[in-house]
Structures are given as structure tokens and as C-alpha cells.
Amino acid sequence: MSATPPALTASSADAARSPADATRAVVQEFLVARLAGDTARLTALFADKVDWLLAENPAVPWIRPRSTAAECAAQSAELTEHTVPEDARASVGAFLVDGVDAVLTGHLSGTVRATGKSFEGPFALRLTVEDGRITRHHLYENSLSIAEAVSDRTR
């Protein structure tokens, strides 16, 4: 005797999806939108209120406190405005998901448009996804390298 499992409908497929699967899907969509510079899609992916953490640096225009979906999504456009897009690089070495939390680690680099100086270093990004939207965005990066690249002083 064999049993054939019932076909999954869209609603039953969503219900069967684990929190980790849902988190992974949203984070992957976030990465695609970020890479494309799709501010409208990023705004839709961020929750109305976001727990945003990025070491504040008044000398770096794109690094500042944020809390709304629009502010968080705008960070991508602000980064592109102040850096040379052709020189931007990011690689993800690890993508870990545990329930509603995801952590990505890797390496990033770029060049500041105003000074022509480059920055680089490792990063870790912690995201939390609740109800299909990003509620936490904590980025840890080499802020000293970025601050030095923004500065018009020589090293």
C-alpha cells in the first residue's frame, strides 16, 4: 500500500514553511534588491520600524542612525552616491539562519568618490525577519578603514 501526499496549495505551502525558510527567502530577496539598488523593493522589505545598528560616524555621510523603512532603504542609494559603484565589492562567506535570525559574514571594499581613497575589511550583518519584513539590521564593519577613506587627510 502506498500513500500519495496531498498536493500543496500556495496557502498550505506558506503554512508548511518554517520560520528559517521564510527568513532565508526574505534575506535572499533583500540581497537581490540591495545589489540592484531597488530602493522601492528594499522599502517594502523593511518593517515600518527597524532596529538599525551601524557604528555612527559623523564624517561618513551614509553611516547614520536610521529607524524607518524608507531611511533604511535609502542607505543603499546614499552609499552609491558617495562611492564609486564600479569599485564596490562584497562577498559573502557564510549565511547562517536560525529561526527568524540570519547572520551573513564576508568581506567588502570600495572607493570613496570625493577622495579617491579605498576602504576594505570584513563585515558581519545580523538581520531579523518577522512577518516577512526585516525588523533588525545590525552591521559590523571596518569603520576605521571607511573613516580614513572619507578623510581628505593623508594616512
Side-chain angles (χ1 to χ4, degrees):
M1 178 173 145
S2 67
T4 304
L8 289 177
T9 63
S11 60
S12 63
D14 288 342
R17 195 160 71 161
S18 74
D21 291 340
T23 297
R24 183 175 301 281
V26 169
V27 172
Q28 288 172 330
E29 192 172 349
F30 164 78
L31 293 173
V32 168
R34 183 84 160 89
L35 186 60
D38 187 344
T39 304
R41 185 65 197 130
L42 288 169
T43 302
L45 286 169
F46 280 109
D48 295 339
K49 288 289 183 187
V50 179
D51 175 8
W52 178 276
L53 176 67
L54 181 55
E56 190 174 349
N57 187 334
V60 182
W62 65 89
I63 298 178
R64 61 181 177 78
R66 299 167 193 272
S67 63
T68 68
E71 290 171 343
C72 294
Q75 195 265 348
S76 177
E78 292 169 15
L79 176 63
T80 300
E81 178 185 330
H82 294 284
T83 61
V84 179
E86 302 81 38
D87 292 349
R89 302 281 182 273
S91 61
V92 175
F95 181 0
L96 310 169
V97 178
D98 183 16
V100 299
D101 292 308
V103 175
L104 294 92
T105 61
H107 192 83
L108 58 80
S109 63
T111 302
V112 175
R113 189 182 307 273
T115 64
K117 293 181 185 177
S118 63
F119 59 89
E120 62 88 26
F123 77 87
L125 174 61
R126 179 183 180 195
L127 299 169
T128 300
V129 176
E130 297 171 303
D131 296 323
R133 297 180 76 196
I134 298 167
T135 59
R136 176 184 294 135
H137 181 286
H138 289 187
L139 179 62
Y140 306 92
E141 62 186 3
N142 186 348
S143 56
L144 178 58
S145 177
I146 295 168
E148 287 175 345
V150 168
S151 173
D152 56 5
R153 293 182 297 167
T154 58
R155 291 184 188 177

PDB file of all heavy atoms in Angstrom, residues 39-61:
ATOM      1  N   THR A  39      15.445  50.604  -4.405  1.00  0.00           N
ATOM      2  CA  THR A  39      15.015  51.258  -3.167  1.00  0.00           C
ATOM      3  C   THR A  39      13.553  50.959  -2.839  1.00  0.00           C
ATOM      4  O   THR A  39      13.215  50.756  -1.673  1.00  0.00           O
ATOM      5  CB  THR A  39      15.246  52.779  -3.249  1.00  0.00           C
ATOM      6  OG1 THR A  39      16.626  53.011  -3.557  1.00  0.00           O
ATOM      7  CG2 THR A  39      14.925  53.463  -1.939  1.00  0.00           C
ATOM      8  N   ALA A  40      12.700  50.905  -3.844  1.00  0.00           N
ATOM      9  CA  ALA A  40      11.280  50.618  -3.594  1.00  0.00           C
ATOM     10  C   ALA A  40      11.111  49.216  -3.003  1.00  0.00           C
ATOM     11  O   ALA A  40      10.352  49.029  -2.046  1.00  0.00           O
ATOM     12  CB  ALA A  40      10.471  50.751  -4.886  1.00  0.00           C
ATOM     13  N   ARG A  41      11.822  48.242  -3.540  1.00  0.00           N
ATOM     14  CA  ARG A  41      11.713  46.875  -3.023  1.00  0.00           C
ATOM     15  C   ARG A  41      12.319  46.787  -1.633  1.00  0.00           C
ATOM     16  O   ARG A  41      11.784  46.112  -0.761  1.00  0.00           O
ATOM     17  CB  ARG A  41      12.406  45.882  -3.976  1.00  0.00           C
ATOM     18  CG  ARG A  41      12.217  44.446  -3.566  1.00  0.00           C
ATOM     19  CD  ARG A  41      10.731  44.060  -3.663  1.00  0.00           C
ATOM     20  NE  ARG A  41      10.464  42.858  -2.913  1.00  0.00           N
ATOM     21  CZ  ARG A  41       9.483  42.713  -2.025  1.00  0.00           C
ATOM     22  NH1 ARG A  41       8.634  43.682  -1.791  1.00  0.00           N
ATOM     23  NH2 ARG A  41       9.320  41.581  -1.392  1.00  0.00           N
ATOM     24  N   LEU A  42      13.440  47.471  -1.410  1.00  0.00           N
ATOM     25  CA  LEU A  42      14.052  47.483  -0.078  1.00  0.00           C
ATOM     26  C   LEU A  42      13.105  48.096   0.944  1.00  0.00           C
ATOM     27  O   LEU A  42      12.968  47.588   2.055  1.00  0.00           O
ATOM     28  CB  LEU A  42      15.377  48.244  -0.101  1.00  0.00           C
ATOM     29  CG  LEU A  42      16.535  47.543  -0.807  1.00  0.00           C
ATOM     30  CD1 LEU A  42      17.699  48.509  -1.007  1.00  0.00           C
ATOM     31  CD2 LEU A  42      16.977  46.313  -0.043  1.00  0.00           C
ATOM     32  N   THR A  43      12.443  49.189   0.572  1.00  0.00           N
ATOM     33  CA  THR A  43      11.484  49.824   1.481  1.00  0.00           C
ATOM     34  C   THR A  43      10.382  48.844   1.860  1.00  0.00           C
ATOM     35  O   THR A  43       9.979  48.772   3.021  1.00  0.00           O
ATOM     36  CB  THR A  43      10.886  51.094   0.846  1.00  0.00           C
ATOM     37  OG1 THR A  43      11.959  52.000   0.525  1.00  0.00           O
ATOM     38  CG2 THR A  43       9.915  51.785   1.777  1.00  0.00           C
ATOM     39  N   ALA A  44       9.906  48.072   0.893  1.00  0.00           N
ATOM     40  CA  ALA A  44       8.856  47.084   1.166  1.00  0.00           C
ATOM     41  C   ALA A  44       9.367  45.950   2.053  1.00  0.00           C
ATOM     42  O   ALA A  44       8.594  45.380   2.833  1.00  0.00           O
ATOM     43  CB  ALA A  44       8.318  46.525  -0.147  1.00  0.00           C
ATOM     44  N   LEU A  45      10.643  45.625   1.956  1.00  0.00           N
ATOM     45  CA  LEU A  45      11.197  44.525   2.752  1.00  0.00           C
ATOM     46  C   LEU A  45      11.466  44.916   4.200  1.00  0.00           C
ATOM     47  O   LEU A  45      11.425  44.074   5.092  1.00  0.00           O
ATOM     48  CB  LEU A  45      12.487  44.001   2.120  1.00  0.00           C
ATOM     49  CG  LEU A  45      12.309  43.174   0.861  1.00  0.00           C
ATOM     50  CD1 LEU A  45      13.654  42.931   0.182  1.00  0.00           C
ATOM     51  CD2 LEU A  45      11.622  41.852   1.181  1.00  0.00           C
ATOM     52  N   PHE A  46      11.746  46.205   4.450  1.00  0.00           N
ATOM     53  CA  PHE A  46      11.972  46.649   5.821  1.00  0.00           C
ATOM     54  C   PHE A  46      10.637  46.889   6.517  1.00  0.00           C
ATOM     55  O   PHE A  46       9.680  47.362   5.906  1.00  0.00           O
ATOM     56  CB  PHE A  46      12.792  47.943   5.847  1.00  0.00           C
ATOM     57  CG  PHE A  46      14.271  47.735   5.675  1.00  0.00           C
ATOM     58  CD1 PHE A  46      14.896  48.124   4.507  1.00  0.00           C
ATOM     59  CD2 PHE A  46      15.032  47.163   6.674  1.00  0.00           C
ATOM     60  CE1 PHE A  46      16.265  47.949   4.337  1.00  0.00           C
ATOM     61  CE2 PHE A  46      16.399  46.981   6.520  1.00  0.00           C
ATOM     62  CZ  PHE A  46      17.023  47.369   5.340  1.00  0.00           C
ATOM     63  N   ALA A  47      10.596  46.586   7.810  1.00  0.00           N
ATOM     64  CA  ALA A  47       9.410  46.856   8.621  1.00  0.00           C
ATOM     65  C   ALA A  47       9.241  48.364   8.778  1.00  0.00           C
ATOM     66  O   ALA A  47      10.162  49.150   8.490  1.00  0.00           O
ATOM     67  CB  ALA A  47       9.560  46.203   9.987  1.00  0.00           C
ATOM     68  N   ASP A  48       8.071  48.779   9.248  1.00  0.00           N
ATOM     69  CA  ASP A  48       7.824  50.209   9.450  1.00  0.00           C
ATOM     70  C   ASP A  48       8.837  50.808  10.424  1.00  0.00           C
ATOM     71  O   ASP A  48       9.293  51.931  10.237  1.00  0.00           O
ATOM     72  CB  ASP A  48       6.401  50.438   9.953  1.00  0.00           C
ATOM     73  CG  ASP A  48       5.357  50.043   8.917  1.00  0.00           C
ATOM     74  OD1 ASP A  48       5.691  49.982   7.711  1.00  0.00           O
ATOM     75  OD2 ASP A  48       4.213  49.757   9.312  1.00  0.00           O
ATOM     76  N   LYS A  49       9.171  50.065  11.469  1.00  0.00           N
ATOM     77  CA  LYS A  49      10.187  50.471  12.437  1.00  0.00           C
ATOM     78  C   LYS A  49      11.264  49.396  12.459  1.00  0.00           C
ATOM     79  O   LYS A  49      10.959  48.214  12.582  1.00  0.00           O
ATOM     80  CB  LYS A  49       9.602  50.632  13.848  1.00  0.00           C
ATOM     81  CG  LYS A  49       8.729  51.852  13.998  1.00  0.00           C
ATOM     82  CD  LYS A  49       9.571  53.100  13.974  1.00  0.00           C
ATOM     83  CE  LYS A  49       8.735  54.336  14.198  1.00  0.00           C
ATOM     84  NZ  LYS A  49       9.502  55.548  14.007  1.00  0.00           N
ATOM     85  N   VAL A  50      12.520  49.815  12.354  1.00  0.00           N
ATOM     86  CA  VAL A  50      13.642  48.881  12.267  1.00  0.00           C
ATOM     87  C   VAL A  50      14.640  49.180  13.381  1.00  0.00           C
ATOM     88  O   VAL A  50      14.965  50.338  13.649  1.00  0.00           O
ATOM     89  CB  VAL A  50      14.346  48.995  10.895  1.00  0.00           C
ATOM     90  CG1 VAL A  50      15.530  48.039  10.794  1.00  0.00           C
ATOM     91  CG2 VAL A  50      13.352  48.747   9.763  1.00  0.00           C
ATOM     92  N   ASP A  51      15.127  48.128  14.007  1.00  0.00           N
ATOM     93  CA  ASP A  51      16.215  48.233  14.975  1.00  0.00           C
ATOM     94  C   ASP A  51      17.501  48.248  14.145  1.00  0.00           C
ATOM     95  O   ASP A  51      18.022  47.214  13.750  1.00  0.00           O
ATOM     96  CB  ASP A  51      16.180  47.030  15.922  1.00  0.00           C
ATOM     97  CG  ASP A  51      17.357  46.992  16.883  1.00  0.00           C
ATOM     98  OD1 ASP A  51      18.146  47.969  16.934  1.00  0.00           O
ATOM     99  OD2 ASP A  51      17.505  45.969  17.573  1.00  0.00           O
ATOM    100  N   TRP A  52      17.992  49.440  13.837  1.00  0.00           N
ATOM    101  CA  TRP A  52      19.138  49.648  12.955  1.00  0.00           C
ATOM    102  C   TRP A  52      20.367  49.934  13.802  1.00  0.00           C
ATOM    103  O   TRP A  52      20.348  50.802  14.670  1.00  0.00           O
ATOM    104  CB  TRP A  52      18.852  50.842  12.045  1.00  0.00           C
ATOM    105  CG  TRP A  52      19.949  51.218  11.121  1.00  0.00           C
ATOM    106  CD1 TRP A  52      21.031  52.013  11.403  1.00  0.00           C
ATOM    107  CD2 TRP A  52      20.100  50.830   9.758  1.00  0.00           C
ATOM    108  NE1 TRP A  52      21.828  52.144  10.286  1.00  0.00           N
ATOM    109  CE2 TRP A  52      21.275  51.422   9.263  1.00  0.00           C
ATOM    110  CE3 TRP A  52      19.338  50.031   8.899  1.00  0.00           C
ATOM    111  CZ2 TRP A  52      21.706  51.254   7.957  1.00  0.00           C
ATOM    112  CZ3 TRP A  52      19.777  49.871   7.596  1.00  0.00           C
ATOM    113  CH2 TRP A  52      20.945  50.468   7.137  1.00  0.00           C
ATOM    114  N   LEU A  53      21.432  49.217  13.553  1.00  0.00           N
ATOM    115  CA  LEU A  53      22.678  49.464  14.264  1.00  0.00           C
ATOM    116  C   LEU A  53      23.826  49.452  13.270  1.00  0.00           C
ATOM    117  O   LEU A  53      24.020  48.486  12.535  1.00  0.00           O
ATOM    118  CB  LEU A  53      22.924  48.395  15.335  1.00  0.00           C
ATOM    119  CG  LEU A  53      24.246  48.497  16.094  1.00  0.00           C
ATOM    120  CD1 LEU A  53      24.276  49.746  16.967  1.00  0.00           C
ATOM    121  CD2 LEU A  53      24.465  47.255  16.933  1.00  0.00           C
ATOM    122  N   LEU A  54      24.529  50.546  13.228  1.00  0.00           N
ATOM    123  CA  LEU A  54      25.739  50.700  12.432  1.00  0.00           C
ATOM    124  C   LEU A  54      26.534  51.779  13.138  1.00  0.00           C
ATOM    125  O   LEU A  54      26.006  52.876  13.365  1.00  0.00           O
ATOM    126  CB  LEU A  54      25.379  51.116  10.994  1.00  0.00           C
ATOM    127  CG  LEU A  54      26.505  51.310   9.999  1.00  0.00           C
ATOM    128  CD1 LEU A  54      27.384  50.083   9.885  1.00  0.00           C
ATOM    129  CD2 LEU A  54      25.923  51.645   8.629  1.00  0.00           C
ATOM    130  N   ALA A  55      27.749  51.465  13.538  1.00  0.00           N
ATOM    131  CA  ALA A  55      28.543  52.407  14.332  1.00  0.00           C
ATOM    132  C   ALA A  55      28.522  53.782  13.685  1.00  0.00           C
ATOM    133  O   ALA A  55      29.027  53.968  12.585  1.00  0.00           O
ATOM    134  CB  ALA A  55      29.967  51.901  14.476  1.00  0.00           C
ATOM    135  N   GLU A  56      27.883  54.710  14.358  1.00  0.00           N
ATOM    136  CA  GLU A  56      27.721  56.062  13.817  1.00  0.00           C
ATOM    137  C   GLU A  56      29.072  56.726  13.607  1.00  0.00           C
ATOM    138  O   GLU A  56      29.985  56.609  14.422  1.00  0.00           O
ATOM    139  CB  GLU A  56      26.868  56.895  14.770  1.00  0.00           C
ATOM    140  CG  GLU A  56      26.445  58.217  14.195  1.00  0.00           C
ATOM    141  CD  GLU A  56      25.485  58.968  15.108  1.00  0.00           C
ATOM    142  OE1 GLU A  56      24.990  58.390  16.081  1.00  0.00           O
ATOM    143  OE2 GLU A  56      25.249  60.147  14.812  1.00  0.00           O
ATOM    144  N   ASN A  57      29.190  57.398  12.479  1.00  0.00           N
ATOM    145  CA  ASN A  57      30.414  58.127  12.156  1.00  0.00           C
ATOM    146  C   ASN A  57      30.016  59.404  11.432  1.00  0.00           C
ATOM    147  O   ASN A  57      29.665  59.356  10.255  1.00  0.00           O
ATOM    148  CB  ASN A  57      31.331  57.272  11.280  1.00  0.00           C
ATOM    149  CG  ASN A  57      32.667  57.929  11.074  1.00  0.00           C
ATOM    150  OD1 ASN A  57      32.803  59.148  11.133  1.00  0.00           O
ATOM    151  ND2 ASN A  57      33.681  57.113  10.825  1.00  0.00           N
ATOM    152  N   PRO A  58      30.063  60.545  12.117  1.00  0.00           N
ATOM    153  CA  PRO A  58      29.616  61.807  11.515  1.00  0.00           C
ATOM    154  C   PRO A  58      30.376  62.191  10.243  1.00  0.00           C
ATOM    155  O   PRO A  58      29.857  62.930   9.415  1.00  0.00           O
ATOM    156  CB  PRO A  58      29.860  62.841  12.615  1.00  0.00           C
ATOM    157  CG  PRO A  58      29.968  62.069  13.876  1.00  0.00           C
ATOM    158  CD  PRO A  58      30.483  60.705  13.505  1.00  0.00           C
ATOM    159  N   ALA A  59      31.582  61.678  10.047  1.00  0.00           N
ATOM    160  CA  ALA A  59      32.361  62.017   8.859  1.00  0.00           C
ATOM    161  C   ALA A  59      31.911  61.236   7.629  1.00  0.00           C
ATOM    162  O   ALA A  59      32.265  61.593   6.515  1.00  0.00           O
ATOM    163  CB  ALA A  59      33.841  61.735   9.119  1.00  0.00           C
ATOM    164  N   VAL A  60      31.144  60.184   7.826  1.00  0.00           N
ATOM    165  CA  VAL A  60      30.734  59.319   6.716  1.00  0.00           C
ATOM    166  C   VAL A  60      29.246  59.557   6.439  1.00  0.00           C
ATOM    167  O   VAL A  60      28.401  59.193   7.246  1.00  0.00           O
ATOM    168  CB  VAL A  60      31.003  57.833   7.034  1.00  0.00           C
ATOM    169  CG1 VAL A  60      30.623  56.951   5.860  1.00  0.00           C
ATOM    170  CG2 VAL A  60      32.468  57.622   7.415  1.00  0.00           C
ATOM    171  N   PRO A  61      28.916  60.169   5.303  1.00  0.00           N
ATOM    172  CA  PRO A  61      27.540  60.590   5.039  1.00  0.00           C
ATOM    173  C   PRO A  61      26.503  59.458   5.028  1.00  0.00           C
ATOM    174  O   PRO A  61      25.353  59.679   5.390  1.00  0.00           O
ATOM    175  CB  PRO A  61      27.596  61.239   3.664  1.00  0.00           C
ATOM    176  CG  PRO A  61      29.032  61.437   3.345  1.00  0.00           C
ATOM    177  CD  PRO A  61      29.823  60.529   4.228  1.00  0.00           C
TER     178      PRO A  61
END
